[in-house]
C-alpha cells in the first residue's frame, strides 16, 4: 500500500514517475480522440489502425539498420509505424468505398493481413545479426521498463498536440459524428473530417505503442469515451470527461503497476479503465443500470398506488399483494385491507382527478393536451386552475366516496 | 525430397489448410451478417481462456485448453450482448470494451502465474507455431498407409480434422436455415425458424473453429481466415453456394501458398532462414483479397455509383 501511495505521488523512482506522467497524458489524448471515433460509431477502426502499425515498426528497423544506424531509435520506429498505419487506414477506406464489402470486413481484413505481414517481418529480423536483441515484440504489449526521458517527452508532446487538434476540430467532428448528411449538405467535407479524425487516432496509437502496445491501445481509445457517455448527454462534456477518465486510468494504472512486480503496465491501465466502465455502467445517474431499475420500481409503485386508490374509491377489494404493500407503506391502508382516514381522502382525490380527466377528454379535442393522459399524470400538471374549475362545474357537486355517508 | 516433404511439410500444410477451411466456412455467414469482427473478438479472448484453464488444471493438455478457450469465447459473446443492451452502446464499441478487457486480464494472469515450466506465452498465442508440427515417424509417402507411423502424427492434425469435419457437417445440415435467416431475418422468423438460436449457433460454430485452429496455428490465421477468403469470394459471385466454394478454394490456396512461400521463399531470395508461416498465410490471403477488390467480377455494390456509400 505504501508503495502504491508513493507511486501515486511520483516518489517511486525516476522511471516510475516518467511512466506515470506519460500514461496519464496518453490517457487524456486517447480519451479525447476516441470520443469522436465512438460517436461516429467507428470504434473498431482503431483496431485495424493499431494492428497495421506492426509492419511499419519492422520495416523501419530494417531500414535504420541498413542505413547503418541503431535500429531501435524510437522516433524512427514510430515514424515507420505511423506510415504503415496510414496505409492500413487508407486500405480500409478504399475497400469500404470502392467495393461492396462492409466496413467491418474491411477492418478485419486489414487488421489480420497487416499483422501477419508484421509477424513475417519480425521473424525475418530475428534472423538478422543486428536483430537478436531488437525487442520489437515489446510493441505488441508495451514495455515500460527502462523508459527514457526522451520517450516520455515524446508521449507528452504527442499527447498535447493530439488534445490541441481535438480542440481545434471539435465542431466539424461533432457535426459529422451526429449527422454526416447534414454536415455534407452544409458544405463540410465529411471525408476530410473523417480522415482527420483517423489521423488523430493514428497519432494516439503510435505514441501509445511503447507504453501499452498495439493490442491494448484500442482499449484506451474506446473504453473512456464509452464510460463518459454514461455521465452526460452533451458531446463537449463527453470529450473532456473521456479525457479525464483516460488520464485517471493511465495515472492510476501506472501507479498500481509500479507498486509491485509482475504487474504489466498496459494491461493494468486497461483493467483500471474497465473497472471505471463497469462502475459507470452500474451506477451512472441517468443511464446506469441501477438508475434504470430504480426508475422502473418507482413507476411500478406509482401505477399500483393509483390503481389501488381507485379501487378503494370504488369500494372494491384489493387483491394484488404489491398494491397492498405500497398503500400500507404510505399509511393509506390498514393491514386488514381497510382504508385509513388519509387513504380515504387520497382515494377521493385520485377519483376526482380521474373524473376530471374523463370530462377533459370529452370536451378537449386538443390531442397535445389530452394526449398526456396516461393514468398517472395529475390533471393540474396539464390544465390550468380555470380549466379545471370548468371541468368541476360540468361534473356537478361532490359525492361521498366508498359508500361512506 | 519425398520423405522430407512428408516429414516436415505435409502435416503443417494439411493442418493449415484444414484450419483455414474450418474458419472460412462460418466466415461466409459472419460477413454477410455484418458480424465479421466477432471472429476478431473471439480470437482475442482465447488467451484468457487458456490461461485460466492452465491455472485450474496445471497442465497444457489439449482438452482443458479447448474447454477454457471455448468457455472464454462464450463469456465474451454473452458479455458483449449484456453490455450492448444494458448500456445501450453500439455493438462495435461494446465488442471493443469486452475483448480488450478480457485480453488484458489474460495477459495479467499470465504474468502473475508461473508459466516458466510450460510453453505458454502471448507471442505463441498470437503467432502459433505451424512449423513445429512435424511428423518424424514418417519415412516417405508409404508411411501414410503404415499404422505405426500414423500414430506419430502431430496430435493437432486429427484434432483440427475433427473440428473441420464438425464445421462442414453443421454448415451442410443447417444450410437452408442459415441462408434464409442470413438474407431475410424477418422472413425466417415468419417461417417460425429459431432465428436467435441460429445466430448463436453460428457464433458457437465460429468459436469452435477458432479455438481448434488457434491450438494449431495461432490467432492471426484465425482472424485472417474468418474474413479474407469469404470477403474475396463475396466479390466473385452473387450466389451463396458459389461464394462458399470460392472461399474454400481461396482458404486452401492461402494455406498452401503461404506455407510454401514462408518455408522456401526466403531460400529463393538467397536468405537462409524461413519466416513465420502463420504470418505468410495471412499475407497471401490478403493478396488474394486485394486482387479480388481490384478485379473481382462482382466487386461493386449493384447499381452503386463511385461515391461514398
Amino acid at each position: 500500500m505504501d508503495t502504491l501511495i508513493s507511486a501515486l505521488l511520483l516518489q517511486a523512482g525516476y522511471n516510475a514517475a516518467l511512466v506515470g506522467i506519460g500514461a496519464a497524458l496518453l490517457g487524456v489524448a486517447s480519451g479525447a480522440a476516441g470520443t469522436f471515433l465512438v460517436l461516429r460509431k467507428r470504434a473498431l477502426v482503431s483496431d485495424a489502425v493499431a494492428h497495421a502499425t506492426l509492419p511499419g515498426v519492422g520495416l523501419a528497423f530494417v531500414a535504420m539498420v541498413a542505413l547503418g544506424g541503431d535500429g531501435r531509435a524510437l522516433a524512427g520506429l514510430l515514424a515507420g509505424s505511423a506510415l504503415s498505419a496510414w496505409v492500413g487506414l487508407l486500405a480500409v477506406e478504399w475497400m469500404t468505398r470502392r467495393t461492396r464489402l462492409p466496413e467491418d470486413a474491411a477492418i478485419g481484413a486489414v487488421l489480420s493481413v497487416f499483422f501477419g505481414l508484421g509477424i513475417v517481418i519480425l521473424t525475418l529480423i530475428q534472423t538478422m545479426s543486428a536483430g537478436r536483441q531488437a525487442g520489437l515484440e515489446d510493441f505488441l504489449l508495451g514495455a515500460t521498463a527502462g523508459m527514457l526521458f526522451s520517450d516520455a517527452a515524446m508521449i507528452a508532446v504527442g499527447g498535447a498536440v493530439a488534445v490541441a487538434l481535438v480542440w481545434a476540430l471539435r465542431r466539424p467532428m461533432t457535426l459529422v459524428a451526429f449527422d454526416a448528411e447534414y454536415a455534407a449538405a452544409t458544405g463540410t467535407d465529411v471525408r476530410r473530417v473523417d480522415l482527420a479524425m483517423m489521423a488523430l487516432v493514428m497519432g494516439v496509437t503510435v505514441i501509445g505503442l511503447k507504453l501499452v502496445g498495439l493490442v491494448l491501445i484500442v482499449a484506451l481509445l474506446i473504453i473512456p469515451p464509452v464510460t463518459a457517455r454514461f455521465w452526460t448527454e452533451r458531446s463537449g462534456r463527453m470529450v473532456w470527461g473521456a479525457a479525464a477518465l483516460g488520464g485517471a486510468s493511465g495515472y492510476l494504472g501506472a501507479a498500481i503497476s509500479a507498486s509491485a512486480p509482475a504487474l504489466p503496465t498496459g494491461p493494468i491501465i486497461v483493467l483500471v479503465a474497465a473497472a471505471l466502465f463497469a462502475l459507470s455502467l452500474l451506477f451512472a445517474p441517468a443511464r446506469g443500470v441501477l438508475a434504470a431499475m430504480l426508475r422502473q420500481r418507482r413507476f411500478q409503485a406509482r401505477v399500483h398506488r393509483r390503481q389501488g386508490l381507485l379501487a378503494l374509491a370504488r369500494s372494491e377489494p384489493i387483491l394484488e399483494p404489491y398494491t397492498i404493500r405500497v398503500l400500507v407503506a404510505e399509511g393509506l391502508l390498514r393491514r386488514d385491507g381497510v382504508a385509513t382516514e388519509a387513504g380515504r381522502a387520497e382515494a377521493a382525490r385520485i377519483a376526482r382527478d380521474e373524473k376530471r380527466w374523463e370530462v377533459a377528454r370529452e370536451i378537449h379535442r386538443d390531442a397535445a393536451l389530452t394526449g398526456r393522459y396516461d393514468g398517472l399524470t395529475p390533471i393540474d400538471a396539464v390544465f390550468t386552475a380555470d380549466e379545471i374549475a370548468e371541468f368541476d362545474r360540468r361534473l356537478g357537486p361532490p359525492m361521498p366516496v366508498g359508500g361512506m355517508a | 525430397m519425398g520423405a522430407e516433404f512428408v516429414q516436415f511439410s505435409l502435416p503443417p500444410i494439411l493442418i493449415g489448410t484444414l484450419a483455414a477451411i474450418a474458419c472460412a466456412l462460418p466466415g461466409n455467414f459472419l460477413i454477410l451478417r455484418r458480424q465479421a469482427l466477432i471472429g476478431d473478438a473471439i480470437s482475442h479472448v482465447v488467451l484468457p481462456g487458456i490461461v485460466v484453464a492452465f491455472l485450474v488444471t496445471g497442465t497444457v493438455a489439449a482438452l482443458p485448453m479447448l474447454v477454457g478457450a471455448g468457455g472464454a469465447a462464450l463469456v465474451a459473446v454473452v458479455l458483449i450482448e449484456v453490455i450492448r443492451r444494458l448500456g445501450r452502446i453500439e455493438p462495435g464499441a461494446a465488442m471493443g470494451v469486452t475483448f480488450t478487457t478480457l485480453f488484458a486480464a489474460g495477459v495479467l494472469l499470465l504474468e502473475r502465474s508461473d508459466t516458466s515450466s510450460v510453453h505458454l506465452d502471448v507471442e505463441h498465442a498470437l503467432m502459433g507455431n505451424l512449423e513445429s508440427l512435424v511428423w518424424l515417424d514418417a519415412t516417405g509417402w508409404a508411411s501414410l498407409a503404415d499404422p505405426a507411423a500414423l500414430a506419430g502424427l502431430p496430435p493437432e492434425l486429427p484434432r483440427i480434422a475433427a473440428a473441420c469435419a464438425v464445421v462442414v457437417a453443421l454448415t451442410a445440415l443447417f444450410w437452408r436455415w442459415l441462408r434464409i435467416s442470413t438474407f431475410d431475418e424477418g422472413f425466417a422468423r415468419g417461417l417460425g425458424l429459431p432465428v436467435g438460436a441460429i445466430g448463436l449457433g453460428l457464433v458457437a460454430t465460429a468459436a469452435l473453429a477458432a479455438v481448434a485452429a488457434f491450438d494449431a496455428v495461432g490467432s492471426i490465421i484465425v482472424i485472417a481466415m474468418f474474413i479474407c477468403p469469404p470477403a474475396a469470394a463475396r466479390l466473385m459471385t452473387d450466389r451463396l453456394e458459389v461464394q462458399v466454394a470460392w472461399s474454400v478454394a481461396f482458404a486452401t490456396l492461402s494455406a498452401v501458398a503461404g506455407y510454401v512461400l514462408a518455408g522456401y521463399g526466403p531460400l529463393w531470395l538467397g536468405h537462409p532462414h524461413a519466416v513465420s508461416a502463420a504470418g505468410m498465410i495471412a499475407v497471401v490471403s490478403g493478396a488474394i483479397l486485394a486482387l479480388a477488390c481490384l478485379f473481382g467480377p462482382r466487386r461493386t455494390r449493384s447499381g452503386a455509383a463511385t461515391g461514398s456509400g
Side-chain angles (χ1 to χ4, degrees):
Chain A
M1 202 62 218
D2 285 345
T3 45
L4 176 60
I5 290 169
S6 65
L8 280 173
L9 298 173
L10 298 177
Q11 302 297 312
Y14 180 68
N15 185 259
L18 275 185
V19 172
I21 294 172
L25 288 167
L26 176 69
V28 169
S30 60
T35 301
F36 291 100
L37 199 64
V38 169
L39 285 178
R40 188 92 170 93
K41 299 201 189 342
R42 295 180 73 189
L44 287 177
V45 180
S46 61
D47 206 19
V49 172
H51 284 77
T53 54
L54 193 59
V57 170
L59 286 178
F61 181 86
V62 173
M64 283 191 288
V65 169
L67 292 173
D70 176 13
R72 280 172 296 173
L74 188 60
L77 294 179
L78 294 190
S81 72
L83 207 64
S84 74
W86 191 245
V87 173
L89 192 58
L90 290 182
V92 172
E93 273 289 293
W94 177 79
M95 249 192 271
T96 335
R97 264 184 333 117
R98 301 302 293 273
T99 76
R100 63 177 175 186
L101 292 176
E103 185 169 48
D104 63 339
I107 290 172
V110 165
L111 125 93
S112 56
V113 172
F114 274 68
F115 196 67
L117 183 61
I119 297 293
V120 167
I121 296 172
L122 286 199
T123 50
L124 209 59
I125 289 174
Q126 275 163 2
T127 64
M128 289 168 45
S129 53
R132 292 271 148 67
Q133 267 94 42
L136 296 185
E137 289 77 16
D138 286 350
F139 285 100
L140 291 178
L141 294 171
T144 50
M147 198 158 113
L148 301 174
F149 179 75
S150 60
D151 300 351
M154 200 178 301
I155 293 175
V157 173
V161 171
V163 172
L165 280 176
V166 170
W167 173 253
L169 290 172
R170 68 194 187 286
R171 287 186 200 287
M173 286 200 300
T174 313
L175 190 60
V176 169
F178 280 101
D179 195 341
E181 282 175 23
Y182 175 73
T186 51
T188 309
D189 188 341
V190 173
R191 185 156 172 261
R192 245 227 214 104
V193 174
D194 267 345
L195 279 182
M197 180 175 84
M198 287 303 158
L200 258 175
V201 167
M202 192 196 75
V204 171
T205 307
V206 166
I207 58 176
L209 277 186
K210 173 86 183 160
L211 210 56
V212 295
L214 62 89
V215 185
L216 290 176
I217 184 70
V218 180
L220 281 187
L221 283 161
I222 299 180
I223 299 180
V226 172
T227 308
R229 181 69 185 85
F230 281 111
W231 297 90
T232 175
E233 304 281 340
R234 304 184 59 87
S235 68
R237 287 185 200 154
M238 189 176 155
V239 173
W240 304 124
L245 285 164
S249 310
Y251 192 71
L252 205 58
I256 293 174
S257 126
S259 68
L263 290 174
T265 314
I268 294 284
I269 293 176
V270 173
L271 289 174
V272 170
L276 292 175
F277 166 79
L279 287 177
S280 305
L281 173 73
L282 292 176
F283 301 117
R287 290 170 59 98
V289 171
L290 195 68
M293 270 165 62
L294 285 178
R295 255 197 319 275
Q296 166 73 16
R297 290 287 296 194
R298 270 203 304 275
F299 178 75
Q300 201 182 7
R302 277 176 68 201
V303 172
H304 279 267
R305 177 181 192 272
R306 177 135 179 147
Q307 292 306 319
L309 288 171
L310 284 175
L312 281 185
R314 289 193 295 265
S315 313
E316 288 164 3
I318 301 173
L319 300 175
E320 170 65 38
Y322 183 65
T323 315
I324 297 174
R325 269 216 311 285
V326 169
L327 292 179
V328 168
E330 271 196 68
L332 301 174
L333 195 71
R334 293 200 329 231
R335 270 180 207 292
D336 55 7
V338 177
T340 62
E341 195 65 36
R344 281 203 300 278
E346 190 61 17
R349 210 179 61 73
I350 295 290
R352 186 184 62 182
D353 193 65
E354 194 70 24
K355 277 280 180 215
R356 283 172 172 172
W357 268 114
E358 266 173 38
V359 179
R361 281 185 298 162
E362 258 170 46
I363 61 176
H364 267 276
R365 293 293 151 87
D366 185 356
L369 289 176
T370 53
R372 289 182 58 189
Y373 173 74
D374 55 4
L376 286 177
T377 314
I379 196 162
D380 41 14
V382 178
F383 291 98
T384 63
D386 290 354
E387 286 169 314
I388 293 174
E390 167 65 14
F391 302 150
D392 285 347
R393 196 186 58 74
R394 297 196 179 210
L395 273 174
M399 283 178 300
V401 159
M404 308 283 290
Chain B
M1 172 68 193
E4 219 173 71
F5 178 80
V6 174
Q7 271 185 332
F8 294 110
S9 295
L10 186 64
I13 288 183
L14 275 179
I15 291 172
T17 308
L18 289 169
I21 294 175
C23 291
L25 277 178
N28 278 294
F29 296 99
L30 290 178
I31 287 212
L32 289 169
R33 288 163 166 252
R34 315 219 151 183
Q35 291 180 322
L37 290 172
I38 284 274
D40 181 25
I42 291 175
S43 51
H44 276 92
V45 302
V46 162
L47 178 74
I50 58 173
V51 177
V52 168
F54 168 74
L55 290 180
V56 171
T57 63
T59 65
V60 281
L63 189 66
M65 295 289 127
L66 291 183
V67 170
L74 207 65
V75 167
V77 170
V78 170
L79 261 185
I80 290 171
E81 201 55 23
V82 165
I83 289 179
R84 194 174 70 79
R85 295 223 178 129
L86 286 186
R88 281 164 291 167
I89 296 167
E90 54 122 354
M95 218 185 267
V97 171
T98 309
F99 80 74
T100 53
T101 304
L102 289 175
F103 188 82
V107 175
L108 179 64
L109 274 178
L110 198 55
E111 292 280 326
R112 299 293 288 173
S113 56
D114 178 30
T115 50
S116 50
S117 57
V118 293
H119 191 63
L120 189 63
D121 58 58
V122 178
E123 276 167 55
H124 177 244
L126 290 174
M127 305 179 198
N129 206 355
L130 201 50
E131 296 87 343
S132 69
L133 305 174
V134 293
W135 185 21
L136 291 175
D137 295 341
T139 50
W141 288 100
S143 302
L144 284 175
D146 175 9
L150 283 177
L153 272 174
E156 282 83 359
L157 184 57
R159 229 178 281 142
I160 187 70
C164 189
V166 170
V167 171
V168 170
L170 284 175
T171 313
L173 200 59
F174 292 103
W175 178 263
R176 276 175 52 82
W177 283 20
L178 272 172
R179 184 167 67 177
I180 296 173
S181 71
T182 298
F183 285 108
D184 193 341
E185 199 177 304
F187 179 60
R189 200 170 280 134
L191 288 179
L193 297 187
V195 175
I198 296 173
L200 203 65
L202 176 62
V203 173
T205 310
L208 170 76
V211 170
F214 167 83
D215 172 45
V217 296
S219 52
I220 317 171
I221 296 199
V222 173
I223 311 175
M225 289 303 132
F226 265 128
I227 297 174
C228 293
R234 174 97 180 85
L235 304 176
M236 301 299 289
T237 171
D238 282 334
R239 296 188 52 79
L240 184 61
E241 294 84 354
V242 186
Q243 180 190 322
V244 169
W246 271 115
S247 74
V248 170
F250 286 151
T252 310
L253 180 63
S254 309
V256 176
Y259 184 81
V260 170
L261 273 180
Y264 302 105
L267 289 179
W268 298 333
L269 296 175
H271 193 81
H273 300 281
V275 295
S276 160
M280 197 48 114
I281 291 175
V283 171
V284 171
S285 74
I288 293 174
L289 176 59
L291 289 175
C293 283
L294 287 170
F295 306 112
R298 293 279 184 275
R299 59 185 180 276
T300 51
R301 286 177 200 89
S302 46
T306 51
S308 62

